[in-house]
Amino acid sequence: MGWTADEIPDQSGRTIVVTGANSGIGLEATRELARNGATVIMATRSTERGEDAADEIREDVPDADLRVEECDLADLESVRDFADRLADEMIDVLINNAGVMAIPRSETEDGFETQFGVNHLGHFALTGLLLENLATDEGEPARVVTVSSGVHENGEIDFDDLQGEASYDKWDAYAQSKLANVLFAYELERRFLTADMNAQSMAVHPGYANTQLQVRGPEQSGSRLRKAAMKLMNAVAAQSAEMGALPTLYAATAPEAEGGAYYGPGGFQNMRGAPERQASSDRSYDEETARRLWAVSEELTGVTYDLPEPKAEVAA
């Protein structure tokens, strides 16, 4: 059977931030974390939808300790405001989950291509702004869990056209953003190790899970046929969102989860099943690309990390 949510250790006294907590993987992860005693800060673009999701969870988990906070990853000012509101609060786990997939080209408030801006740059900025909240000298290491996708295997970081201005393909842009997630997770782990910081960074992917993520692209394209086809595929081929959340929950809570690892479903074609440690794409382990992406991300977001560059002998 493999690892299940029944194996989540007691999370009482722990504070966990989940981006995109109002639907899909984020909603199911929030539900299980709250069920096991965690205080969950639900970082959502819409506080109204966030409160609706919190009410839904409380119907299932009446004593759930939930707090809804606005955090629009497509707006760096909103990200900064969110981090400011958390001030000196200790965070045990940050789950970088929110994302958009295969949408027509658009731009964030800061002029970034939306998929790269939301999926990578927004989370890069958020993590950097919350770095001091994650710092602890003793006890269990803080964890940063970044949700990628198996589609990252098709990705390549196009430094000459990161924002898809010269040429844009929605799936190529999505794959680039998801590869960026894994490169970021590994580089963050290397910097944690070099700084001897009591923290871990890992990447996960949900396999093929039945969420609203797949239908947003067809909705924004105005294609009813493609939307209907995607809903049918979800119903026939996808595993549930509850199952898709297991790699995230494993990385966030399992005592044996390791920094620098990549976790995903271990079943058919890594699309379904219980979580296991897996190998990500060859490109995701390219340290030169990771450091270049890090430098570009700091320049674009204006967020710098108080962490040293990795030593040559440090590997995630």
Side-chain angles (χ1 to χ4, degrees):
M1 290 290 294
W3 193 88
T4 71
D6 292 337
E7 298 176 62
I8 296 174
D10 181 25
Q11 299 296 297
S12 298
R14 293 170 65 77
T15 298
I16 300 176
V17 173
V18 182
T19 67
N22 61 289
S23 65
I25 302 301
L27 175 64
E28 298 309 324
T30 297
R31 188 193 313 275
E32 293 305 323
L33 292 166
R35 192 191 309 278
N36 286 277
T39 296
V40 184
I41 298 175
M42 303 173 66
T44 64
R45 184 168 62 89
S46 164
T47 54
E48 181 179 357
R49 288 196 293 271
E51 293 292 355
D52 288 344
D55 289 342
E56 176 189 330
I57 291 172
R58 291 189 184 104
E59 290 180 4
D60 187 26
V61 187
D63 59 348
D65 186 358
L66 305 171
R67 187 169 115 209
V68 176
E69 292 280 357
E70 180 179 347
C71 182
D72 184 354
L73 292 159
D75 183 349
L76 292 181
E77 183 177 356
S78 175
V79 174
R80 290 181 182 277
D81 288 345
F82 171 79
D84 287 344
R85 289 196 300 276
L86 267 59
D88 298 324
E89 293 185 49
M90 177 62 68
I91 297 171
D92 296 283
V93 183
L94 168 61
I95 299 177
N96 291 323
N97 163 79
V100 291
M101 183 178 80
I103 60 174
R105 191 184 187 283
S106 59
E107 293 185 353
T108 68
E109 290 293 325
D110 304 281
F112 307 133
E113 185 277 311
T114 299
Q115 296 191 80
F116 189 70
V118 170
N119 297 352
H120 170 62
L121 291 175
H123 284 123
F124 179 91
L126 177 63
T127 305
L129 292 168
L130 294 179
L131 198 62
E132 290 189 7
N133 303 69
L134 293 161
T136 177
D137 294 328
E138 56 187 28
E140 290 188 43
R143 298 187 185 187
V144 178
V145 179
T146 300
V147 181
S148 181
S149 163
V151 177
H152 89 275
E153 296 178 9
N154 300 325
E156 185 172 0
I157 306 299
D158 185 356
F159 287 106
D160 293 328
D161 191 24
L162 277 176
Q163 311 299 340
E165 295 170 306
S167 176
Y168 182 78
D169 176 271
K170 61 187 178 183
W171 282 106
D172 288 347
Y174 179 66
Q176 174 181 250
S177 72
K178 293 288 103 178
L179 174 59
N181 287 154
V182 186
L183 287 163
F184 165 66
Y186 292 166
E187 180 69 5
L188 182 60
E189 173 68 10
R190 286 188 286 268
R191 292 179 185 238
F192 281 161
L193 290 170
T194 301
D196 197 25
M197 184 170 167
N198 189 29
Q200 298 173 316
S201 170
M202 55 272 281
V204 302
H205 76 96
Y208 184 10
N210 186 0
T211 72
Q212 288 298 305
L213 187 66
Q214 292 92 344
V215 302
R216 287 175 186 155
E219 281 180 344
Q220 292 190 24
S221 298
S223 174
R224 293 181 180 179
L225 181 61
R226 285 178 49 230
K227 180 179 178 180
M230 190 60 74
K231 284 188 172 183
L232 178 61
M233 280 292 294
N234 277 5
V236 172
Q239 64 178 350
S240 66
E242 292 89 344
M243 285 295 295
L246 289 182
T248 296
L249 290 166
Y250 181 86
T253 68
E256 64 271 24
E258 298 177 316
Y262 177 69
Y263 295 103
F268 178 69
Q269 295 186 339
N270 296 335
M271 298 293 280
R272 56 175 59 245
E276 65 173 20
R277 183 165 185 167
Q278 298 173 349
S280 52
S281 71
D282 289 345
R283 288 193 181 104
S284 71
Y285 295 106
D286 187 326
E287 295 183 25
E288 182 179 347
T289 299
R291 292 184 193 183
R292 185 179 178 187
L293 177 64
W294 188 282
V296 169
S297 300
E298 285 190 330
E299 180 181 352
L300 290 173
T301 64
V303 175
T304 58
Y305 284 59
D306 187 17
L307 291 173
E309 287 194 11
K311 297 176 183 177
E313 65 271 19
V314 171

